[in-house]
Amino acid sequence: MKIYRFAVVLCLFFLSCDQKSKVEKAVEEIPVDIKVERFDKVFFETKPEDLAKVKRQYPFFFPPGNDDAVWLNKMQDPIWKEVYTEVQKRYANFEPVREEFNTLFQHVKYYFPKTKTPKVITVIAEMDYNAKAIYADSLVIVALELYLGREHKFYQFPNYLKQNFEEKQIMPDVVSSFAYRNIPPSADKTLLSQMIFEGKQLYAKDLLLPDYTDADKMGYTPEQIKWCEENENYMWRYFLEKEMLYSADPKLNTRFIAPAPFSKFYLELDNESPGRVGAWIGWQMVRSYMKNNNVTLPELLKTDAKEIFEKSKYKPKK
């Protein structure tokens, strides 16, 4: 009997591997050639008297209402010029990142065939960590000043933010932006709905970034992922016992969904926990749903949160 069970498990394993390889082989056959424009170089290497030419070439970066003095000051500001120098040191050769974009959008086109191949434009923006990488249909905008490495001298941010200022986070950030644009907005503001909303975009990373670790997808350290895995059952019982799942209390978003140094259970374990554990639990729900239902990724993104929860058969690991 033991030999039979082992044989079944082995067959399932190889079947899974073969299925994955079929998908990846199909992905590799999809023609994608991402074009990259280094607007950061164009802007900071342009002479002030030639600003008008740059504005004509990239009008979407120069909204009306801003005086030219704003852009001229940034061009010549010693601090921003130093930021530009540091960006060029780190990304003098952007080809490895461009190749990652190619691989990413081969996967995107496999699951979303009608998606246009976007142009990637690199910028040096305003150190806005809420807009590090933006997918906008035909364009992907990447703010390179926020991918210089967590220990860079420019970063006066808390550690939970700085830990994601790494090159390795460019693709996960792009997928987040892509997924958010493809998940329909919902009037349901319960904690459960928000958890599954976040779980959807994290599951998109499972398929679009198959070679990335869970830590990379979540923006966690490996230790933070381990903490969630070891405390999954406890966290789930906490949400149930406190009757939080169907609560629309806006404070729950701050406590368990929004980026934060830690999650707020109001217990001693808070300081050990990473932020956004509600998003991580939502991810496990969505994974369970996809395991138990024959649904495509585009269909998943449009499926109601309550339906996902009810059909997920989610049970945390003990």
Side-chain angles (χ1 to χ4, degrees):
M1 182 61 74
K2 288 183 178 178
I3 294 174
Y4 172 75
R5 286 177 182 169
F6 177 75
V8 170
V9 170
L10 198 63
C11 287
L12 290 173
F13 171 77
F14 283 115
L15 184 64
S16 174
C17 289
D18 184 56
Q19 185 65 35
K20 181 179 179 181
S21 66
K22 285 181 180 178
V23 170
E24 290 307 308
K25 285 177 183 176
V27 166
E28 289 172 3
E29 295 299 318
I30 298 173
V32 171
D33 184 20
I34 295 290
K35 306 297 183 185
V36 176
E37 292 188 17
R38 296 294 302 271
F39 175 75
D40 52 316
K41 295 184 72 172
V42 171
F43 182 81
F44 282 98
E45 293 181 10
T46 292
K47 295 178 181 178
E49 58 266 28
D50 292 330
L51 175 63
K53 295 179 183 177
V54 180
K55 291 177 69 175
R56 285 195 296 271
Q57 187 177 356
Y58 297 96
F60 40 84
F61 287 138
F62 298 93
N66 285 334
D67 190 85
D68 281 358
V70 172
W71 314 115
L72 293 171
N73 287 340
K74 184 169 184 177
M75 273 182 174
Q76 300 170 87
D77 184 282
I79 295 176
W80 281 115
K81 289 174 77 172
E82 186 181 359
V83 171
Y84 169 66
T85 298
E86 292 296 303
V87 166
Q88 298 318 305
K89 284 180 187 176
R90 182 66 182 259
Y91 294 103
N93 177 15
F94 201 72
E95 183 60 20
V97 182
R98 191 191 76 84
E99 289 176 357
E100 284 201 59
F101 269 112
N102 271 346
T103 302
L104 167 59
F105 276 93
Q106 283 178 310
H107 284 84
V108 170
K109 282 180 169 290
Y110 178 83
Y111 292 102
F112 300 86
K114 295 182 180 179
T115 301
K116 298 176 185 175
T117 299
K119 180 192 299 180
V120 173
I121 302 182
T122 62
V123 302
I124 292 175
E126 299 296 325
M127 290 282 183
D128 180 1
Y129 59 82
N130 290 310
K132 293 162 65 190
I134 299 171
Y135 170 86
D137 191 31
S138 61
L139 293 177
V140 173
I141 313 297
V142 182
L144 290 181
E145 82 278 9
L146 287 167
Y147 296 102
L148 294 175
R150 70 189 72 189
E151 301 301 330
H152 199 280
K153 63 182 179 179
F154 290 148
Y155 297 147
Q156 303 299 312
F157 295 96
N159 288 333
Y160 76 94
L161 293 174
K162 289 195 298 184
Q163 72 185 38
N164 288 310
F165 291 1
E166 299 283 351
E167 180 180 324
K168 189 72 173 176
Q169 276 300 305
I170 294 176
M171 299 306 141
D173 287 345
V174 172
V175 174
S176 290
S177 182
F178 174 84
Y180 286 144
R181 286 178 62 91
N182 283 277
I183 301 173
S186 172
D188 185 353
K189 302 304 179 185
T190 61
L191 177 62
L192 177 64
S193 179
Q194 294 179 75
M195 291 166 74
I196 289 179
F197 180 89
E198 295 297 323
K200 288 179 179 180
Q201 63 92 8
L202 286 161
Y203 186 81
K205 295 178 186 179
D206 285 340
L207 300 189
L208 302 181
L209 298 171
D211 295 330
Y212 279 61
T213 67
D214 280 7
D216 291 330
K217 295 169 191 173
M218 188 74 196
Y220 276 178
T221 64
E223 293 75 20
Q224 289 173 323
I225 286 288
K226 184 179 179 182
W227 189 95
C228 287
E229 291 171 346
E230 291 176 347
N231 291 276
E232 181 178 1
N233 188 56
Y234 174 82
M235 290 190 289
W236 184 241
R237 283 192 291 110
Y238 180 89
F239 291 141
L240 293 179
E241 290 170 3
K242 299 293 183 180
E243 299 182 346
M244 290 179 168
L245 291 184
Y246 294 103
S247 171
D249 182 349
K251 292 180 182 178
L252 294 177
N253 180 285
T254 303
R255 292 173 62 186
F256 300 113
I257 303 292
F262 52 84
S263 296
K264 299 175 182 67
F265 296 92
Y266 303 137
L267 299 168
E268 288 185 10
L269 58 76
D270 281 10
N271 289 333
E272 301 172 12
S273 71
R276 304 185 64 228
V277 297
W280 187 86
I281 292 283
W283 188 12
Q284 309 320 304
M285 287 186 204
V286 172
R287 281 175 163 174
S288 182
Y289 172 78
M290 294 300 281
K291 181 180 178 181
N292 291 296
N293 296 272
N294 185 20
V295 177
T296 67
L297 179 56
E299 289 169 343
L300 165 71
L301 299 186
K302 296 177 182 177
T303 302
D304 178 75
K306 188 177 179 182
E307 179 179 344
I308 289 174
F309 176 55
E310 291 174 349
K311 293 183 178 180
S312 70
K313 302 178 183 178
Y314 170 68
K315 290 183 179 179
K317 300 180 182 71
K318 294 183 178 179

